[in-house]
Amino acid sequence: MSNSSALIIAQKAVKQLRMEASVPRMKVSQAAAELKTFCLQNANKDPLLTGVPSSDNPFRPPKSCVLL
C-alpha cells in the first residue's frame, strides 16, 4: 500500500469519526423513560398484550362441519 492510499484511508476514517462524534446523544435514563411512556400509551393497541379477535384472526383453527 502506498503512502498516498494510506493517507486517503486515514482521511476517510477521520471524516467518519468526526461525523459520528457530531451525532446528538441522549442519556440512557431519558431514552428509557420515553420508551416506557410510549409502551404504556400504546399497550392497548398491541395484539400481543390484548389478543386478536377470533373474527380477525387468519390463523384461527378451522371449524368442523357436522352434517345431520
Side-chain angles (χ1 to χ4, degrees), residues 14-51:
V14 169
K15 182 179 178 183
Q16 178 68 29
L17 289 171
R18 284 186 177 150
M19 184 187 72
E20 290 176 12
S22 68
V23 173
R25 308 284 181 194
M26 176 186 289
K27 290 186 176 183
V28 173
S29 58
Q30 180 185 355
E34 288 181 13
L35 181 61
K36 181 180 175 184
T37 303
F38 175 82
C39 290
L40 291 174
Q41 288 175 347
N42 294 297
N44 60 343
K45 300 175 192 170
D46 190 342
L48 295 175
L49 297 175
T50 60

